[in-house]
Amino acid sequence: MSIRHTRAKGVPRFPDGPKADPAGSHFERRIRSFQPRRSRVTAGQADALQRLWPKWGLDIDGQRTLEPAELFGNTHPVVLEIGFGMGEATAQMATADPDTNILAVDVHTPGQGNLLSIADRNGLTNVRVGNGDAIILLREMLGPDSLDGLRVYFPDPWPKKRHHKRRLIQPEFLTLAATRLKPGALVHCATDWEPYAEQMLEVLTAHPDFENTQPDGGYAPRPGFRPLTRFEGQGLDKGHVVNDLLFRRVPHRNQPSADD
């Protein structure tokens, strides 16, 4: 069942839910790695957005600095997940590891509502849903060493060559992310687009702030904590190859190691 409303111009879609463009025009225009998808929202998703957004939702407006302990109400490790689709895998990981907080960011309104609904139904208190641009979140709203991990699963591969500049995993993004990740934090990427996997491996390997957890310097087996999603299963059935990359944030270059 989908929900449709006739709204007057300028009236927000969900008055108590995520904003259509939370950052507005406060920040520079630049090439984005995502495109907002305005697909239908079911009645259940709409209800979750209205009821739960004030409690568990976060509009990425770039106007304040977040304190993770305040956001989650505890000092557990915080992992940022960029792009969670419909949220099923995120909810599974939150259920399996209740002592890790997940800040899950996406711009897909049905997915936001679906994840909130699952979290509510399963009693998950370690999930917060961010709406907006993860770059603004990292750059403007999170402090240094505030994250214990970063997950980017099946990002848009932007397959056409002229669109490769839109891919999220680029040297500039990794430099920004490194400033927000604690030493030892795990960066976990996964994609079923092999040319993008090759690019990910290349830029992560070349970046001085990260090191591959695999002794051979290649891809990693899918770790047990990353669920096999329905989307991924469909791809595997079609013969797609899924590659996982597991890199670790090395100690800051101006920080002495434990051996010094």
Side-chain angles (χ1 to χ4, degrees):
M1 177 180 176
S2 296
I3 185 167
R4 286 185 176 181
H5 292 297
T6 300
R7 291 176 288 118
K9 186 175 181 180
V11 175
R13 191 178 186 188
F14 302 102
D16 297 319
K19 293 182 174 62
D21 186 10
S25 59
H26 296 296
F27 300 97
E28 79 285 356
R29 297 186 66 181
R30 57 180 169 76
I31 296 171
R32 290 183 172 182
S33 63
F34 61 89
Q35 286 184 319
R37 292 170 292 161
R38 300 291 180 237
S39 50
R40 293 180 179 179
V41 176
T42 68
Q45 293 161 0
D47 174 69
L49 288 167
Q50 285 290 104
R51 288 189 304 107
L52 301 171
W53 191 260
K55 180 181 178 183
W56 289 337
L58 166 70
D59 276 313
I60 300 171
D61 58 13
Q63 300 300 302
R64 58 194 173 106
T65 300
L66 294 177
E67 295 294 340
E70 182 179 337
L71 181 66
F72 286 94
N74 58 58
T75 58
H76 294 166
V78 178
V79 171
L80 173 63
E81 182 179 0
I82 300 177
F84 56 80
M86 295 304 291
E88 293 98 339
T90 304
Q92 289 182 53
M93 291 185 288
T95 300
D97 188 6
D99 291 329
T100 294
N101 296 323
I102 301 176
L103 176 52
V105 175
D106 209 308
V107 293
H108 188 218
T109 309
Q112 294 167 350
N114 200 58
L115 178 53
L116 287 170
S117 179
I118 297 172
D120 185 42
R121 187 166 61 247
N122 294 344
L124 301 176
T125 60
N126 58 331
V127 175
R128 299 292 182 270
V129 179
N131 168 52
D133 190 340
I135 300 294
I136 292 176
L137 174 69
L138 284 165
R139 193 182 66 196
E140 307 292 343
M141 300 179 70
L142 291 174
D145 296 350
S146 56
L147 297 173
D148 297 87
L150 173 65
R151 296 168 180 167
V152 183
Y153 299 153
F154 304 99
D156 193 328
W158 295 101
K160 295 181 180 179
K161 187 173 182 179
R162 69 176 184 272
H163 292 156
H164 286 183
K165 58 189 175 184
R166 294 184 177 271
R167 290 176 174 175
L168 179 64
I169 306 302
Q170 307 273 6
E172 297 81 5
F173 169 77
L174 294 175
T175 296
L176 172 60
T179 65
R180 304 304 186 240
L181 291 164
K182 297 175 183 176
L186 192 68
V187 174
H188 183 194
C189 302
T191 180
D192 65 339
W193 192 260
E194 289 187 81
Y196 195 8
E198 293 168 0
Q199 177 186 321
M200 289 179 176
L201 183 60
E202 179 181 347
V203 298
L204 277 161
T205 299
H207 202 287
D209 290 327
F210 298 97
E211 63 182 3
N212 200 332
T213 63
Q214 303 305 298
D216 65 355
Y219 301 114
R222 179 176 66 86
F225 65 80
R226 183 176 76 75
L228 183 70
T229 67
R230 181 177 56 199
F231 168 82
E232 183 179 359
Q234 292 171 349
L236 291 171
D237 289 342
K238 296 175 182 176
H240 295 184
V241 175
V242 175
N243 287 299
D244 284 75
L245 300 95
L246 290 168
F247 278 71
R248 201 169 300 281
R249 172 70 164 101
V250 300
H252 300 301
R253 279 165 279 184
N254 59 353
Q255 174 180 314
S257 68
D259 298 328
D260 291 344

